């Protein structure tokens, strides 16, 4: 006997009623995520508050927060929602087309580890971003106070509080001391 899975689509995810939880869609499967703790929000805000003015001042694109959904693949659908993300100017959706998930991966994604995050699911999330074309993923660990930079075809690079995170060729010229991420 063959069992057919009833996959959820990105459209069905978008139409779900707000129940106070956050969700991602991974190859048609809904993944429920608990609300974040204060530390998670503060770390995400520190990154966004530093990155957004630089991006705007230099006309590089847009910084997006609030775990905006990115449709990374279809049939079955995968929608991931980074804590903070950056989209290059040429990829920013026109104002009339911003009421749906962003098509494709962000150029830069930041994920902040929470107590509920496990290494396997986070590695899967990073792999999904990179496979969909994300040029840089930064995983921030508030406990270890590190930022691990993932890029396609490169080994992950771990930065500690004394190091400086930079945007490389994704956000040219942007730099942030890792210690300020946790301030």
């Amino acid at each position: 006997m063959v069992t057919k899975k009833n996959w959820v689509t990105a459209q069905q995810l978008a139409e779900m009623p707000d129940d106070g939880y956050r969700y991602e869609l991974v190859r048609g499967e809904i993944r429920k995520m608990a609300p974040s703790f204060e530390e998670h929000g503060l770390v995400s805000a520190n990154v966004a508050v530093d990155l957004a003015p630089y991006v705007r001042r230099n006309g590089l694109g847009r910084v997006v927060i609030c775990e905006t959904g990115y449709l990374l693949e279809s049939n079955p659908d995968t929608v991931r929602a980074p804590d903070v993300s950056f989209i290059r100017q040429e990829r920013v959706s026109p104002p009339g087309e911003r009421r749906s998930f962003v098509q494709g991966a962000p150029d830069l994604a930041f994920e902040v580890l929470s107590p509920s995050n496990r290494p396997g699911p986070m590695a899967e999330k990073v792999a999904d971003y990179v496979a969909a074309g994300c040029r840089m993923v930064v995983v921030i660990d508030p406990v270890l106070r590190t930022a691990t930079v993932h890029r396609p075809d490169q080994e992950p690079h771990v930065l500690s509080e004394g190091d400086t995170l930079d945007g490389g060729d994704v956000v040219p010229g942007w730099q942030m001391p890792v210690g300020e991420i946790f301030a």
Side-chain angles (χ1 to χ4, degrees), residues 16-136:
M16 288 176 52
D18 183 0
D19 64 359
Y21 288 93
R22 300 170 299 130
Y23 296 91
E24 287 185 325
L25 187 61
V26 181
R27 287 166 277 294
E29 176 189 332
I30 294 250
R31 302 242 176 119
K32 185 177 185 178
M33 300 180 296
S36 300
F37 292 154
E38 180 181 7
E39 180 178 56
H40 186 115
L42 290 170
V43 167
S44 298
N46 286 344
V47 170
V49 164
D50 192 89
L51 179 60
Y54 179 85
V55 166
R56 181 171 296 183
R57 196 171 44 249
N58 291 285
L60 299 175
R62 295 286 185 261
V63 173
V64 184
I65 60 170
C66 298
E67 295 160 338
T68 298
Y70 289 83
L71 180 60
L72 302 181
E73 62 181 284
S74 299
N75 296 324
D77 295 351
T78 294
V79 176
R80 293 292 195 173
D83 295 305
V84 179
S85 55
F86 163 75
I87 307 167
R88 287 186 335 265
Q89 185 64 42
E90 60 270 17
R91 295 188 55 234
V92 172
S93 301
E97 297 176 21
R98 295 181 184 164
R99 294 193 154 268
S100 62
F101 297 125
V102 179
Q103 298 295 308
D107 294 287
L108 169 59
F110 290 88
E111 288 288 354
V112 179
L113 291 173
S114 296
S116 62
N117 291 130
R118 298 288 171 251
M122 183 55 71
E124 176 189 42
K125 187 180 278 199
V126 169
D128 285 348
Y129 287 130
V130 171
C134 188
R135 297 169 54 204
M136 184 172 159

